[in-house]
Amino acid sequence: MPFKQSRSFDGRIKLALRRLRSHFNAMGAPKDIVDLVGAVTSDAEAIAVATVVRSVRGRAPFAGARAVIAADGFTGWLSGPAGRDVFRAAKKTLEDGRPLLLRTRTKAGALDLLVEPLLPRPNLVIAGAALVAVALADLARRLGFFVTICAPEKDHASFAEADRLVDGFAPPGDLLGDLYIVATQGAEAALPALARLPARYLAVVGPRRRLAALKRSLARDGVVPAVLDTIRSPAGLDIGAVTPEEIALAILAEMVAIRRKGQRIRAR
């Protein structure tokens, strides 16, 4: 994939660009390209925005001009060598999640630009309706996660704030998740389908001995050892958590640590 995000990143970025272009066609010349970015649904957003912060000559794009960059093209004022420079900068900022300043040149003069990533909301899939699952869904939404619940329909009332509710433990075919938690006594029904999906994080709430039995069952079903080794249990960082809310906090802390690895700028 052009940018190193998730398994579905390339598809999301192309979808975002198509939607941006459709808004251009429908609206003509918009007052602000950021209005178009806001029109793209949050689960499809995976783009970069380049803003001119300084223009040396009057014929160059004016300060404040913006362009939206996606994996297969852009919408805005970009062209020529400047377009290639900005495209490379967009690739870098989407890889590491950090904005950056760029100086480039056009035929009309030099430009200073700020290139910023607009990454999709992290997609968290929770299989089960245990108390930890309810607490995790609530806290994850507050931290900006897109939360999908896979649980029997009778349990859906416990998840008033979830973004998506799926009946049963099996994930739907159009699922765009990469963070998975199994929080149910019926893990035997939930884990096999999730274990076959590409994931940055897959964990089971419960003791290690329970996971050992589940892994043996998965191995008999053909799940390869390399995948089995990535399944975590107990889920979350070891902070001495006891209550469902504390366990949810520990799980989210572990997810954030994985998502943000390498992005933090260390103080010198």
Side-chain angles (χ1 to χ4, degrees), residues 82-259:
R84 290 191 290 273
D85 290 345
V86 174
F87 205 84
R88 284 192 291 267
K91 176 181 177 180
K92 184 177 187 305
T93 195
L94 286 169
E95 286 175 351
D96 61 23
R98 301 175 186 171
L100 58 84
L101 288 171
L102 168 71
R103 170 161 288 189
T104 186
R105 299 192 66 85
T106 69
K107 292 181 179 179
L111 293 175
D112 292 334
L113 304 107
L114 175 65
V115 184
E116 302 171 279
L118 289 178
L119 302 177
R121 291 168 61 188
N123 283 274
L124 170 60
V125 179
I126 304 172
L131 292 177
V132 171
V134 175
L136 180 60
D138 177 58
L139 186 55
R141 280 273 296 165
R142 298 187 201 184
L143 293 180
F145 286 70
F146 185 96
V147 177
T148 297
I149 302 296
C150 296
E153 188 175 7
K154 63 182 178 61
D155 296 322
H156 287 182
S158 300
F159 299 97
E161 299 301 320
D163 295 285
R164 184 179 184 184
L165 296 169
V166 177
D167 185 18
F169 297 127
D174 63 345
L175 189 66
L176 294 178
D178 56 2
L179 303 166
Y180 302 101
I181 282 287
V182 177
T184 175
Q185 291 298 318
E188 296 81 1
L191 187 57
L194 297 179
R196 289 175 168 80
L197 298 175
R200 279 188 291 175
Y201 183 91
L202 173 58
V204 178
V205 176
R208 287 189 179 90
R209 63 180 180 275
R210 182 188 183 203
L211 179 61
L214 290 169
K215 284 185 174 182
R216 288 193 293 270
S217 176
L218 291 172
R220 288 193 296 270
D221 290 341
V223 178
V224 298
V227 173
L228 295 177
D229 290 343
T230 65
I231 304 174
R232 301 165 182 258
S233 186
L237 299 179
D238 184 4
I239 60 172
V242 175
T243 68
E245 292 76 15
E246 291 170 349
I247 295 170
L249 176 62
I251 292 170
L252 275 173
E254 189 170 44
M255 289 181 181
V256 170
I258 290 171
R259 289 189 62 240

